[in-house]
Amino acid sequence: MNTLAAVMQLLVAAAFVSIPVVRHRFGPAAKAAAEAELRRQAVRPEVLQENNLRFDASGHETAAPVTVAVVMTAVAALNLAGAGPAQLLTWIFSSLVVLMNVVIVYSNRTAVKSVEAAFHRKGDPELARVQVAPFLRAAENAFPGWVRAQTHLRNTAVFGGSAVALVAVSLA
């Protein structure tokens, strides 16, 4: 059962690593599409850079998912080794991963409202004029169609893998 938990934790780690990989590969195209949409809206595209708004895998866009992947890999190694704290650490970190993924899914579902609020908080009048829904849609459409399926697969892997890992260590 510990091996099953470890395999699921490695699946979760891989799912989280996929986030910055996809953003690194397609972030520049998303940025270009978002800038084109800003031009269409008569907003200077430079407003993105002036306000540190990015579509690539820099900063926390890489650090957070890679940290999750490293932690899940470490807990998987403990499960494979049959180490004493593996069960407790699985309960802690698999539960945290589920909660984090709930926040990610919620954030994705409420992106338009969140970005509108963030743009207004920035205090930049030009940024506040951005029509956020078409702006985000343009950036999203710059990603290949398979990325949407990959996102659903990633969420399934994270939620399902974490649940299976929790059940497996409970039965071990």
Side-chain angles (χ1 to χ4, degrees):
M1 286 302 203
N2 285 358
T3 300
L4 177 60
V7 168
M8 293 297 105
Q9 289 163 330
L10 292 173
L11 178 65
V12 169
F16 270 89
V17 168
S18 74
I19 298 168
V21 168
V22 167
R23 288 184 66 96
H24 174 74
R25 171 65 180 89
F26 301 105
K31 178 183 178 205
E35 288 174 344
E37 175 58 26
L38 289 178
R39 282 188 207 90
R40 190 194 68 73
Q41 293 182 24
V43 175
R44 291 180 313 105
E46 296 80 15
V47 74
L48 294 179
Q49 186 173 354
E50 293 166 4
N51 287 281
N52 287 330
L53 301 171
R54 307 175 63 106
F55 292 91
D56 62 7
S58 65
H60 78 280
E61 295 292 345
T62 293
V66 168
T67 299
V68 170
V70 167
V71 168
M72 295 311 292
T73 300
V75 176
L78 291 173
N79 270 308
L80 287 173
Q87 183 179 21
L88 176 62
L89 293 174
T90 294
W91 271 100
I92 292 169
F93 291 112
S94 290
S95 298
L96 285 174
V97 162
V98 167
L99 292 174
M100 286 186 308
N101 213 54
V102 165
V103 170
I104 291 168
V105 169
Y106 177 78
S107 173
N108 290 341
R109 297 241 181 236
T110 60
V112 171
K113 287 184 181 184
S114 298
V115 172
E116 285 172 346
F119 280 9
H120 288 295
R121 276 194 311 271
K122 289 273 188 180
D124 185 324
E126 192 167 22
L127 197 57
R129 290 186 309 117
V130 173
Q131 296 170 11
V132 173
F135 168 75
L136 291 178
R137 193 170 31 258
E140 183 180 322
N141 288 341
F143 288 88
W146 60 261
V147 171
R148 189 178 322 275
Q150 182 260 354
T151 300
H152 294 299
L153 183 60
R154 181 183 57 77
N155 286 327
T156 300
V158 170
F159 288 127
S162 296
V164 170
L166 289 168
V167 169
V169 297
S170 297
L171 298 175

